[in-house]
């Protein structure tokens, strides 16, 4: 796909938090998806590493809104000690 047709928004982000001394091994995935009906969703998937975890999806009116929400959530998770994978 040519670069001018690609979206400037990051569509998938994986964060992790590992602290063996505290037995903390967690992941946090953020992904922007468009479903079959064209609805833009921000899907969050989180939990302990090596488990199925939990998932939540939110609908947005535009890709820009979803991108801003993704960045805000990522920043909040980084402040809690998560790091980009």
């Amino acid at each position: 796909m040519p670069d001018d047709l690609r979206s400037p928004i990051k569509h998938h982000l994986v964060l992790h938090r590992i602290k063996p001394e505290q037995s903390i091994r967690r992941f946090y995935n953020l992904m922007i998806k468009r479903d079959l009906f064209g609805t833009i969703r921000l899907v969050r998937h989180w939990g302990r590493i090596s488990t199925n975890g939990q998932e939540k999806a939110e609908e947005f009116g535009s890709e820009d809104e979803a991108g801003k929400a993704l960045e805000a959530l990522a920043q909040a998770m980084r402040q809690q000690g998560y790091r980009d994978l």
Side-chain angles (χ1 to χ4, degrees):
M1 177 181 292
D3 287 337
D4 58 336
L5 296 179
R6 290 185 187 197
S7 171
I9 296 183
K10 191 174 215 177
H11 287 86
H12 191 217
L13 181 65
V14 180
L15 303 166
H16 72 283
R17 183 175 176 202
I18 299 174
K19 292 191 174 186
E21 65 279 358
Q22 297 175 351
S23 297
I24 295 175
R25 295 177 45 82
R26 298 189 163 274
F27 68 90
Y28 203 89
N29 283 333
L30 296 164
M31 188 179 338
I32 297 174
K33 290 183 171 182
R34 187 179 301 267
D35 68 10
L36 293 174
F37 303 106
T39 305
I40 298 168
R41 298 178 186 270
L42 173 60
V43 179
R44 297 189 259 171
H45 183 221
W46 70 93
R48 289 179 160 256
I49 292 174
S50 76
T51 67
N52 290 336
Q54 299 179 41
E55 188 171 287
K56 181 178 181 180
E58 296 177 71
E59 291 183 11
F60 288 90
S62 73
E63 198 173 325
D64 288 335
E65 290 175 18
K68 288 176 186 175
L70 182 146
E71 288 302 323
L73 284 167
Q75 186 62 30
M77 298 313 294
R78 288 178 184 122
Q79 289 175 352
Q80 292 180 22
Y82 283 80
R83 300 288 170 243
D84 291 58
L85 187 64

